[in-house]
Amino acid sequence: MNLFGWLNDQLLRMQWLSELVTAGVSAAGLDPATRLGGSVHFFVYDVIKIFILLSVLIFAISYVQSFFPPERTRRILGGRSGIWANTLAALLGTITPFCSCSSIPIFIGFTAAGLPLAITFSFLISSPLVDLASVILLASIFNWSIALAYVAVGLVLAVVGGTLIGRAGMEDQVADFVRNVPVQDNEEAMTRAERLAFAGEQVAEIVHRVWLYVLIGVGIGAAIHNWVPANIITALLGQDNWWSVPLATVVGIPMYADIFGTLPIAEALIGKDVGLGTVLAFMMAVTALSLPSIIMLKRVVKTPLLVLFLAVVTGGILAIGILFNAITSWFI
C-alpha cells in the first residue's frame, strides 16, 4: 500500500478506530455481524470519528479564518463585480464553517456595506454548503473523488446562483432596515495566542452547536444501514426512479443540520445503492435550504427575492442530482 493510501485509511477513515470499536463491541457480547451489533459499531465508530475529525479540522480552519474577519472579507470583495467576484465570494464562503442560519448575519453585513446582491448571495449559498472540513469528512467516509465532486458542484451552484440573482435586478427587494445597519470597520490584528484562543473557541462553539445533530444523523444512518431493507430504500430512492432526486430534496428541506449531521445518513444511503446524485441532493437541501434559514432570510429580504433564491437553488440542486445519478459509476 502506498503512503497516501495508508494515511487516508488510518488518519481519515480511521481503520484503527474501527478495529478498536469492533473489539469493544465483541467484548460487550455483541456480534458486529448482526443487526444490533452492527448498529452499535456504526454508531460508536462514526460518532467518535466525526468528532475527532471535526475538532481537529475546525481548529485548523478557524485559525486560518482568523486572518479573514468579516471586515477584511468585505474589503476583499468590495469594488469587485462579475463572475470572478462571485467565484471569489464562493471561495471565501468555504473558509467560514457556518450553518445556513449563522450565515444570515454576515449576509446582512455585506448587504449593508453595499456589496452587490450577486456577491452576497454567492457567499450565502457557499458558506453552509461547502467548507474545508466537509471536504475531509466526505473523503473519510466516501472517497476523494466524491469529496472533490461535492465541492466543485457546490461552488458552481453558488457562483451560478449568485449570478442569476444579481442579474434579476432585485436590489429593492432587500428589507429596508438592512440598508441602515451600521457597518463595523475596526479590523484589529490578532496575536498568535489570540488566534489559537479564537480557534479553540470556534471548536467549542461549533461542537456545542452540532453535537445533537451528529448523534441524530449517526443514529438514523445506523438504522438505515442495518435495519431498513435495501429493497425498500431502492423502491423509494433508487436512481432509476425519476422522483428520487425531487423526493430527496423535499425531504431535506424541513430538516435543520450542518453537513456533519447529514454525512452518516448519506453514508448509509450510498451503502444501500442509492444514487450519488440523490444523496448529494439530500445533503444540499438540508444545508442550503433548511426551513429555519428560510424563515430567517424572509426577515431580511422581501418575498419576490426569497422566491427567486429558493427557485434558483432548488433548480440547481435538482440539476446536480439528476446529473450525478447519471454518472454515479464514475465515482463508486
Side-chain angles (χ1 to χ4, degrees), residues 39-90:
S39 296
V40 172
H41 180 279
F42 186 104
F43 186 86
V44 175
Y45 167 63
D46 266 39
V47 166
I48 295 175
K49 180 179 71 171
I50 288 175
F51 278 119
I52 289 176
L53 288 174
L54 185 62
S55 299
V56 173
L57 294 170
I58 293 300
F59 186 90
I61 292 166
S62 297
Y63 187 85
V64 173
Q65 184 196 352
S66 69
F67 292 91
F68 297 93
E71 293 82 5
R72 176 171 293 181
T73 304
R74 282 201 299 264
R75 287 201 191 97
I76 293 173
L77 296 175
R80 301 176 185 271
S81 61
I83 192 169
W84 293 114
N86 287 50
T87 302
L88 182 58

Side-chain angles (χ1 to χ4, degrees), residues 108 112 174-182 299-301:
I108 294 174
V174 176
D176 295 334
F177 81 90
V178 174
R179 302 293 185 186
N180 300 320
V181 172
R299 297 178 181 177
V300 298
V301 302

Side-chain angles (χ1 to χ4, degrees), residues 14 25 28 46 62 64 69 141 173 177 188 226 232 254 260 276 281 311:
M14 296 190 189
V25 170
D46 266 39
S62 297
V64 173
I141 290 178
Q173 296 299 309
F177 81 90
E188 298 179 0
N226 294 283
I232 294 179
F260 314 118
L276 176 60

Side-chain angles (χ1 to χ4, degrees), residues 61-63 65-66 190 193-203:
I61 292 166
S62 297
Y63 187 85
Q65 184 196 352
S66 69
M190 299 174 67
E194 289 172 334
R195 297 187 192 282
L196 292 173
F198 170 77
E201 291 168 359
Q202 287 292 97
V203 171

